[in-house]
Each structure stands twice: as C-alpha cells, then as structure tokens.
Amino acid sequence: MNKNKLTVPDIIKKKGREKITAITAYDSLIAGIEDKIGFDIILVGDSVSNTLLGYEDTLRIGMDEMIIFAKAVSKGVKRALLIGDMPFMSYQISKELALKNAARFISESYMDAVKIEGGQEFKDTIEFIIKSGIPVLGHIGLTPQFYLSFGGYRVRGKKEKERKKLLEDAKILEESGVFAIVLEGMPEDLAKEITENVSIPTIGIGAGRFCDGQIIVVYDILGLTPEPHPKFVKKYINLRELIEKALLEYKTEVMEGKYPEEKHIY
Ligand code: KIV
C-alpha cells in the first residue's frame, strides 16, 4: 500500500483536530486535481446520475455504471480515501446482494470504502458489510435515494419526530461500526447535536458549520451544473460560462477559417 495513502483510521483521528475535506469526482482528470490539492476523501457519488449523466435524480444509475466511474476516479488518485456510493437498489434488496455489490467497488474499482444512505433500517446490512472487511460511510438526513417517499427534497429534522429519529439513527450507525456519517440537508443545530453526540466524524452537506467536515458535489461549486442550486451551494467559479466562451470562440474560428493556423498543420 502506498505510504501516503489516507486510511479510515486517519479520517477518524481527524475528529476534533482538523476539518475533514471531502468532495465528489466522476472521472480521473478532476479526481487527479482534487487529489493533488489534498482532499481527504473523494466520493464517487451516485450524483453522477443527475450531474454528468443528465438524469433528474439519482435513481437511474446502477452498479455496472458506478463501477466504470469509480475505476476512472481511482486512476487519478494516489492519496485520498476513495469511497464508492452504493446506488439505488444495490443494497436495499438483501444484505447478501449488498455485500456482493460493496465488494465489487473494492475489487473491481479500487475503492477503499462504500457509502450507504439510511439509518436503523439498514443496520444489519451495514454490520454484515463491515464484518466482511469493507468500511462503510453512513449517510442520513435528506437522503436523495428516498426522495420519492419523502415527497421531494425537503430539509429533514425540522419536526420533532424526524429530529429524534435522526439522532437515534446516528447513534445506531455509530454502534454498527460506520467510520463516519454524512449529514445532509438538516438544520445546523441538529447537525451540531449529532456531531457532539457521536465519537466518529460527521461530514456535512447542507448541514451547517459545526460538522467535523464538509462534502459537496464538485460540478456544483465549479458552476458547471445548471441553476437552480440548493441554498448551501457556493459557486467558486462559473465554468459553464468559461466553457461556453471558449467553445464559441473555437466554432467562430472554424467558420471564419482562422483555425487551424499554419502552426497547427503537419
Ligand atoms: O452522491 C453524492 O454526491 C452524495 C453527496 C453526499 C455529495 O451522496
């Protein structure tokens, strides 16, 4: 194993010491840039479905496609902990199928761990995977694979009953052995309470300032995905505008016979 490679214990040790930086990637080029600047975790998220692939949600992608994106990402990364996101119905049907699919992420695409959306309902499945030697990252709150049951992408945990369930889910996930938990789309004070009440790191997305780390969809902060974005997204660059400008310039030069020039020919 590469001695610079981050491990699951390295991530756990960061709790209370330094913020954990996590981000998504779906290809080797972006993943390579993220790894070069030192992100701790790179997630091959099922958000590839509604970003790169242009579907409306994350329910349209399966294991075979996820493996292709994960393989590409692994080619670009030497240091970051790599996580494969278990897609819709890859873990909900049975714990045996869940383990088989988690193992594919490890053996076929060089991931270091997998992520599973859901709490108490998936306790047995998560424990089964962890016992088999595959680390699991938990994910609770506004879990996009469950938006049909939630009735949309609504912030979770505003109502007392939901809040209590999310606190319980975080505890159950910790007991099940997950190494960290993604907290998505919940009030800041709830994410803070969860963070203070579990011994493992929490990684927030739309969950405020007090999580042990943050994760985000890379194409959202690069300004490549079209508007509207959720409130928590900060655009650090408008890549869409820059790409449009460059492509228009190329197209115009081709039409006007300005490209290729003499220096471009053999
Ligand atoms: O698929 C995804 O991108 C995620 C997030 C936590 C960023 O699950």
Side-chain angles (χ1 to χ4, degrees), residues 23-27 29-31 33-34 37 39 51-52 216-227 229 232-244:
I23 193 149
T24 67
Y26 318 108
D27 69 89
L29 301 177
I30 295 280
I33 298 170
E34 293 170 351
I37 64 172
F39 278 94
T51 54
L52 203 61
I216 200 101
V217 171
V218 63
Y219 291 148
D220 285 348
I221 59 165
L222 295 181
L224 198 57
T225 44
E227 303 279 356
H229 290 126
F232 60 81
V233 170
K234 178 173 173 183
K235 226 192 261 181
Y236 288 84
I237 185 177
N238 195 336
L239 217 50
R240 213 178 160 81
E241 225 170 75
L242 291 177
I243 292 174
E244 225 175 87

Side-chain angles (χ1 to χ4, degrees), residues 26-28 44 64-77 82 104-105 107-111:
Y26 318 108
D27 69 89
S28 69
V44 185
D64 289 346
E65 293 124 311
M66 286 301 293
I67 291 288
I68 294 171
F69 292 108
K71 270 185 183 169
V73 167
S74 77
K75 291 277 179 201
V77 174
L82 285 174
R104 287 190 66 190
F105 267 128
S107 57
E108 291 177 39
S109 59
Y110 298 90
M111 297 290 104

Side-chain angles (χ1 to χ4, degrees), residues 40-250:
D40 299 316
I41 292 176
I42 297 178
L43 170 75
V44 185
D46 62 355
S47 51
V48 65
S49 172
N50 56 336
T51 54
L52 203 61
L53 298 184
Y55 294 110
E56 265 187 22
D57 52 39
T58 59
L59 310 184
R60 319 297 151 184
I61 188 158
M63 268 314 289
D64 289 346
E65 293 124 311
M66 286 301 293
I67 291 288
I68 294 171
F69 292 108
K71 270 185 183 169
V73 167
S74 77
K75 291 277 179 201
V77 174
K78 292 192 174 69
R79 177 183 172 272
L81 189 82
L82 285 174
I83 300 182
D85 205 2
M86 298 283 283
F88 187 56
M89 288 304 141
S90 67
Y91 62 93
Q92 289 93 336
I93 294 166
S94 72
K95 60 181 186 178
E96 288 77 16
L97 182 61
L99 176 59
K100 201 168 157 217
N101 285 325
R104 287 190 66 190
F105 267 128
I106 309 296
S107 57
E108 291 177 39
S109 59
Y110 298 90
M111 297 290 104
D112 303 308
V114 297
K115 177 169 82 58
I116 289 186
E117 291 184 14
Q120 177 262 325
E121 306 78 8
F122 296 101
K123 184 179 186 290
D124 289 350
T125 301
I126 290 170
E127 283 175 350
F128 193 56
I129 294 173
I130 294 172
K131 268 189 209 139
S132 309
I134 301 175
V136 176
L137 171 63
H139 183 172
I140 56 173
L142 199 184
T143 41
Q145 286 183 28
F146 295 84
Y147 88 99
L148 293 175
S149 320
F150 294 159
Y153 296 99
R154 189 174 52 75
V155 169
R156 310 294 297 169
K158 280 189 167 172
K159 295 183 191 133
E160 197 44 44
K161 199 170 151 208
E162 263 176 31
R163 188 180 174 99
K164 207 165 150 253
K165 159 107 173 82
L166 288 170
L167 274 160
E168 275 167 18
D169 278 345
K171 277 288 186 198
I172 289 167
L173 287 178
E174 180 186 18
E175 280 159 26
S176 305
V178 302
F179 70 90
I181 311 173
V182 171
L183 304 181
E184 177 163 358
M186 65 178 69
E188 183 176 69
D189 67 327
L190 173 58
K192 184 169 187 276
E193 190 174 345
I194 293 174
T195 301
E196 287 168 354
N197 281 283
V198 293
S199 61
I200 49 173
T202 59
I203 304 175
I205 171 163
R209 294 161 289 185
F210 301 105
C211 297
D212 298 303
Q214 295 289 328
I215 186 161
I216 200 101
V217 171
V218 63
Y219 291 148
D220 285 348
I221 59 165
L222 295 181
L224 198 57
T225 44
E227 303 279 356
H229 290 126
K231 184 181 178 185
F232 60 81
V233 170
K234 178 173 173 183
K235 226 192 261 181
Y236 288 84
I237 185 177
N238 195 336
L239 217 50
R240 213 178 160 81
E241 225 170 75
L242 291 177
I243 292 174
E244 225 175 87
K245 190 169 167 284
L247 292 181
L248 183 63
E249 202 175 316
Y250 167 72

